[in-house]
Amino acid sequence: GYGAYASPIVVDGRVYLHLIYPDREKLLADEAAQNDILVRRGADIELVASGHDARRYAVFCFDARTGRTLWRWFDEATFGHSSSGKSGKGLTACHFQGRIYVRGRGITCLDASTGKMHWQKSGRDKKDRAYSTGGGWSRDESPVIIGGVLVLGAYPGTTLIGLDPLSGDELWRHERVTGYNSVPTKVVLGSREYVISASGVQIGEDDIGSGNRMVLIEPRSGKILWESNLTGKNTVALAVDGSRVCGNGYRSNTKAKDSEIDKTMRAACFEVSTGGAKRLWLNDEVAYPPHRATPVAHRNHFYIDARETGFICVDARTGK
């Protein structure tokens, strides 16, 4: 199937993989699909699923040792071509307390042992922000669990939503707090998990500077504990090493095009607490990526891959 650009996750000896998968039964019952020129020339009928509205979001569960399929789940709705842009959408599943959460037509909660669906939340709100995936560009739209809350970015825009993982009920939402190509990030402060996020710039927005801020959110209540104006434009996830947070620290106050601002983004590190943030360093020689290449934090180092300056390892403590 089409991989949905999802990484497999491994939990308790099981592998879970979220896919966009051909509906073979629908294709075999569709005369038009059987008469498709590719099928008539010998191609497997599953290869024409996109053109005949015969694909579904699906989750496969495998035994991690043997590869044996333990269960499969298919969404009810089928669809055809989906605009995946340059490199598709990141739709990796996540696990919490015996349940698997995936994002496709909406947010779906499955039993990790059986694949039975507990709930599904879809649709759009009054501002047309969706629980489902959206947009035609390369995007990361994977849900994550932070502080016992299911957190995801809503499309379009820079909105974060917190859902109760057991019921699917919406607990909170905040606009203009996240990048439009960003998976929510957690930071652990005093043994408690918080959502740390920085916003990007709305495309076409007149006041470029107003879209830039970093926030710390208490995940259960959704309360914004503080916001900082120390960051510049951020569209991918922040990298977190303990209480040190790396993102773009260069602020552009011009009304330049997004593509011009992207070239000015530079890596900076901030020390964060529940009371606020302070900047530790900014490295003019290390760009912070604006598109999908999320930096990695590991043992006092940040690994950053950006078009402007290449692949660089930075000391998280000094910026060297």
Side-chain angles (χ1 to χ4, degrees):
Y2 168 81
Y5 300 91
S7 298
I9 61 172
V10 183
V11 184
D12 296 332
R14 294 185 173 199
V15 180
Y16 300 92
L17 183 60
H18 187 203
L19 298 167
I20 295 175
Y21 208 76
D23 187 333
R24 191 175 188 88
E25 291 184 4
K26 181 177 180 179
L27 289 166
L28 291 174
D30 185 344
E31 186 175 346
Q34 295 178 53
N35 289 323
D36 189 290
I37 186 64
L38 294 177
V39 177
R40 288 165 57 192
R41 289 181 174 180
D44 189 294
I45 198 169
E46 290 185 357
L47 295 179
V48 302
S50 294
H52 295 275
D53 295 332
R55 300 196 300 167
R56 298 178 187 265
Y57 287 106
V59 177
F60 283 68
C61 175
F62 309 106
D63 184 289
R65 292 179 303 150
T66 66
R68 181 169 64 94
T69 301
L70 300 177
W71 55 258
R72 299 185 298 174
W73 170 85
F74 292 92
D75 196 4
E76 291 184 0
T78 58
F79 58 94
H81 292 286
S82 59
S83 177
S84 60
K86 291 181 178 179
S87 57
K89 302 175 183 67
L91 297 174
T92 299
C94 70
H95 172 274
F96 181 67
Q97 294 185 351
R99 297 187 177 196
I100 299 293
Y101 300 88
V102 293
R103 187 175 190 182
R105 188 166 60 99
I107 297 293
T108 303
C109 173
L110 306 173
D111 188 279
S113 297
T114 64
K116 178 184 177 181
M117 187 171 74
H118 289 294
W119 54 261
Q120 186 176 71
K121 193 174 185 69
S122 59
R124 295 173 178 267
D125 65 12
K126 292 184 292 185
K127 294 187 177 181
D128 201 36
R129 293 183 174 89
Y131 294 109
S132 60
T133 63
W137 291 99
S138 166
R139 297 176 55 84
D140 265 316
E141 300 190 328
S142 307
V144 294
I145 294 284
I146 301 177
V149 174
L150 188 66
V151 186
L152 59 138
Y155 179 85
T158 56
T159 299
L160 272 184
I161 297 175
L163 301 179
D164 185 301
L166 297 182
S167 65
D169 294 339
E170 186 169 313
L171 301 175
W172 52 264
R173 68 169 54 199
H174 295 296
E175 296 186 22
R176 302 169 72 97
V177 296
T178 187
Y180 49 76
N181 190 18
S182 175
V183 173
T185 310
K186 75 176 178 182
V187 60
V188 180
L189 302 171
S191 75
R192 294 187 62 185
E193 295 184 359
Y194 297 88
V195 181
I196 184 77
S197 182
S199 64
V201 178
Q202 294 276 42
I203 296 175
E205 188 173 301
D206 289 333
D207 185 3
I208 293 294
S210 69
N212 301 325
R213 63 172 177 160
M214 178 168 57
V215 299
L216 186 74
I217 302 173
E218 199 288 314
R220 176 53 60 173
S221 67
K223 180 181 179 181
I224 296 179
L225 300 181
W226 53 256
E227 63 176 79
S228 168
N229 63 358
L230 295 175
T231 57
K233 172 186 177 181
N234 281 276
T235 54
V236 301
L238 301 171
V240 178
D241 179 69
S243 59
R244 293 183 291 259
V245 176
C246 186
N248 169 44
Y250 183 83
R251 292 185 61 82
S252 175
N253 294 317
T254 68
K255 296 182 180 181
K257 295 181 180 179
D258 271 3
S259 59
E260 296 174 9
I261 296 174
D262 290 349
K263 295 178 182 179
T264 68
M265 295 171 62
R266 290 297 180 267
C269 183
F270 307 90
E271 181 76 26
V272 301
S273 68
T274 55
K278 65 178 181 179
R279 195 174 83 179
L280 299 179
W281 52 259
L282 184 147
N283 192 321
D284 289 323
E285 298 179 351
V286 183
Y288 203 79
H291 304 299
R292 192 71 179 271
T294 303
V296 173
H298 181 64
R299 294 185 178 180
N300 297 316
H301 295 82
F302 296 122
Y303 297 86
I304 303 172
D305 189 12
R307 293 173 182 172
E308 298 300 316
T309 54
F311 184 54
I312 299 177
C313 174
V314 184
D315 189 307
R317 296 159 294 191
T318 65
K320 180 179 179 182

